[in-house]
Amino acid sequence: MSIKWSAHSGEECFRDLALHERLTFGNCICGALDVTIETENAGHVVGAVTPRADHWRVDNLSRFTALLIEDLEDSQQFIRVPGQRREVVIPFELAQVAVAGRDDLPLLTVFGPEPVVAPHEGHGCPEEAKEDAAHRLLDPRTRYFAVLRALCESQHAGPAHPVPTSATIADRLAEWGVRLTARAVDHHIDYLVQRLGLRPLAGSVQRSWKKEVLVSVALRQGLLDVPA
């Protein structure tokens, strides 16, 4: 599971959490939290997130301030966590943790555990081993992989085609039966950039460098060659 938040400088920060590793966050300035986030007129906000095998959990360590966990892939799905509630199960794979009633105060973006599937019994074939390695890099059964496929689709026709907008990617995904908002597409792109450890290319447009680098790396390294 991965966590994204904005530092005091405005820089995006990421941290990967191992299974059962607990991360504390909030606006407390005592220095005891793993992640300290600046908030304005939000009261005392302290919480914790913990990954499990097929979901993640939230502790609201605040006395009075509620947290809102919003599914970024479906804005109609959300969970309100009152103050002092512990071990609340969150099934969302991509979610935003915010102060309830304050949409302008997002605290964390959570990229939850990937779906659990039955283990495959291999036969020792070298080609199968290569395929397994590709699966470990990017899982073609996930929504982030669908986003990557839609992002790169037009580039197969040649580099002269512009990189699609997030709204265009969302529309294309809808044609494939994958319902995502443009906002959710952006979060999946952020996750892919972080997961692959990418940096801006020389000459990249500042606002679209993540998409440009993803397209370049995906096509050069054959990341889309794994059957979906």
Side-chain angles (χ1 to χ4, degrees), residues 106-163:
L107 302 172
L108 301 174
T109 300
V110 178
F111 304 90
E114 296 174 7
V116 175
V117 296
H120 170 67
E121 296 182 2
H123 303 287
C125 174
E127 290 302 314
E128 187 177 55
K130 292 180 182 179
E131 182 177 296
D132 287 344
H135 273 263
R136 284 193 294 271
L137 181 60
L138 293 178
D139 189 342
R141 297 161 295 189
T142 59
R143 286 177 172 171
Y144 68 69
F145 193 87
V147 168
L148 182 62
R149 187 177 294 277
L151 170 64
C152 297
E153 184 179 44
S154 64
Q155 304 305 304
H156 285 290
H161 290 73
V163 174

Side-chain angles (χ1 to χ4, degrees), residues 145-209:
F145 193 87
V147 168
L148 182 62
R149 187 177 294 277
L151 170 64
C152 297
E153 184 179 44
S154 64
Q155 304 305 304
H156 285 290
H161 290 73
V163 174
T165 65
S166 297
T168 300
I169 293 172
D171 290 342
R172 183 58 174 149
L173 290 171
E175 296 176 6
W176 299 345
V178 180
R179 292 181 54 219
L180 286 181
T181 63
R183 180 185 176 195
V185 168
D186 286 337
H187 284 295
H188 279 296
I189 287 173
D190 286 344
Y191 175 69
L192 284 163
V193 168
Q194 182 267 338
R195 184 183 180 104
L196 297 172
L198 304 183
R199 296 291 183 270
L201 293 172
S204 294
V205 178
Q206 183 175 4
R207 294 187 61 184
S208 62
W209 76 263

